[in-house]
Structure formats: C-alpha cells, structure tokens
Amino acid sequence: KAGVTQTPRYLIKTRGQQVTLSCSPISGHRSVSWYQQTPGQGLQFLFEYFSETQRNKGNFPGRFSGRQFSNSRSEMNVSTLELGDSALYLCASSIMSGYSYEQYFGPGTRLTVT
Amino acid sequence: GDSVTQMEGPVTLSEEAFLTINCTYTATGYPSLFWYVQYPGEGLQLLLKATKADDKGSNKGFEATYRKETTSFHLEKGSVQVSDSAVYFCALSVLTGNQFYFGTGTSLTVIP
C-alpha cells in the first residue's frame, strides 16, 4: 500500500499571503489529522477530519482551516501568513487497529514564511 | 487533561550501549500508548504500541511496557546502533477517539 503523501514538500511564502497544503491518506483510511511541528513547540495538533467532517480541533487561530473530500484527501489552508507560521506541517491518516487508532504520518510540508 | 512527559534530550550513546528513554503520562481514561520515531527530513513512523496495562510493545529490538501503577511507558533497547539516531516521541490516545497527545521528543545520537 502506498503511504501518506503530502504536497508540496517545500514551500516559501511571504507574510500576508495564504497557502494550501494537500494530504492523500493511505487507501482505506478515513481519518486525517494535521499537526504543526516547530523546534520550540514540538508537535501541536491542528485538527482532525473524518468522513468530510471536522471531528477534533486544536487551539489554533481561525486563520488555520481545513477540509476533507469524499475520497478522504484533505487540504489545510493558512491565510494571512505570519513569520511564526514557519514550520513542518505533518498529516497523519488513521485506522482503528484492535482497541485503538494508529496514526501513520506523511513526510510533511516544510513551510517557510519570509 | 491528557498529556505526555518524556525525558529531555539530547541523548548521546556509544554503539552497543543500553538505551532508556523515559515517558510518563496523565490520562483521564484508559489510553493506548505509542512510541514514534522521526528520522531527519522525514515524518513520524510508528515504532511500537501497547493498548492495556502490562502489555509490552516491541519492534526492531525496541520495547516498552505499559505500567499503569507508575503511569509510565519507557522505551528501551539493549544495544543501540548508529542507524537508531533519530528523534523519539512518546504519545497517547484516548480510547474514545482519535485524539493523540505527543511528548516533546527526545533526540538520540549514537556514535560509533
């Protein structure tokens, strides 16, 4: 099975612009979660989508949004970019295994805001 | 709330040394516990997991035991290799959903 894919892998944007990142989950996985990873804050949960509905949400401002399509692919959007949004954005697709979910991560999109 | 605390790094070991990375958790319910590994320039990979008390997860020579009495899930390996150099994350998820909580990560460098 193909793993989780994320596009693009690298992105450079200017303050004030907006950006859209894409994630294709593992085939058969219906849940997609997004995380922001920075050296100072570690992994911070952004949101989770399941069957096109946002099921969980982290503590990020409204500039961060996402959506999921009927084929489970997901996008996240960041509007009015700030320097502090520079980070590695990780997508994880999930499936129930036994009594728990397991999350499988993509390689991430490295966003640099200048 | 639910959270994970893991030992701060960085950790530097010589090849064939014994590895322990400590992880403790706080959870309101009965969580599942995980160790993930991140190699440079890559996403996180699931290393092992345990879903109930006294379960032992193991993979690639790494193991961790779910200790409910001490709320711990320490990662161990008997003999590390240079290829084990990476950042290791402890995580938990609550049984009622797909919300994961990650520790801050522990960087491991193994020198020949």
Side-chain angles (χ1 to χ4, degrees):
Chain A
K1 262 189 187 175
V4 178
T5 57
Q6 292 187 246
T7 56
R9 291 292 311 275
Y10 303 91
L11 208 47
I12 300 174
K13 290 287 189 179
T14 305
R15 264 183 308 176
Q17 288 186 314
Q18 75 163 18
V19 67
T20 298
L21 312 182
S22 181
C23 171
S24 292
I26 293 171
S27 177
H29 291 196
R30 293 164 63 191
S31 169
V32 173
S33 300
W34 288 90
Y35 295 84
Q36 181 194 66
Q37 185 178 24
T38 58
Q41 300 294 322
L43 267 145
Q44 293 190 284
F45 172 72
L46 281 154
F47 28 67
E48 183 222 359
Y49 285 86
F50 181 85
S51 291
E52 301 180 65
T53 301
Q54 187 180 86
R55 190 161 66 170
N56 289 301
K57 187 176 189 306
N59 190 26
F60 276 79
R63 300 185 297 106
F64 292 81
S65 63
R67 59 178 175 167
Q68 187 180 34
F69 302 95
S70 58
N71 61 358
S72 294
R73 191 177 70 85
S74 177
E75 290 181 348
M76 68 163 281
N77 183 279
V78 188
S79 62
T80 320
L81 282 165
E82 301 177 359
L83 293 178
D85 297 333
S86 295
L88 181 66
Y89 289 89
L90 292 165
C91 163
S93 75
S94 305
I95 195 165
M96 278 292 288
S97 176
Y99 295 105
S100 72
Y101 280 93
E102 291 180 357
Q103 291 197 346
Y104 294 87
F105 285 80
T109 293
R110 172 75 62 187
L111 172 64
T112 301
V113 182
T114 62
Chain B
D2 300 326
S3 66
V4 170
T5 302
Q6 62 181 104
M7 65 184 279
E8 302 221 356
V11 174
T12 302
L13 294 173
S14 297
E15 208 165 20
E16 298 184 5
F18 185 86
L19 168 71
T20 300
I21 301 177
N22 291 337
C23 171
T24 56
Y25 67 89
T26 302
T28 50
Y30 297 95
S32 293
L33 302 172
F34 304 80
W35 277 100
Y36 282 81
V37 57
Q38 185 177 33
Y39 298 101
E42 299 182 13
L44 279 68
Q45 295 177 26
L46 176 61
L47 182 58
L48 53 85
K49 76 172 193 180
T51 56
K52 60 184 189 297
D54 299 326
D55 263 4
K56 179 186 281 189
S58 60
N59 186 25
K60 299 181 182 179
F62 292 90
E63 57 182 37
T65 302
Y66 189 145
R67 300 283 187 204
K68 192 162 180 280
E69 63 277 12
T70 54
T71 61
S72 65
F73 192 57
H74 305 321
L75 182 68
E76 296 181 336
K77 187 176 185 184
S79 175
V80 294
Q81 306 299 313
V82 172
S83 56
D84 294 326
S85 297
V87 180
Y88 292 82
F89 292 88
C90 185
L92 71 82
S93 76
V94 295
L95 287 179
T96 53
N98 188 21
Q99 180 91 45
F100 274 60
Y101 299 87
F102 286 84
T104 51
T106 301
S107 174
L108 168 68
T109 300
V110 180
I111 54 177

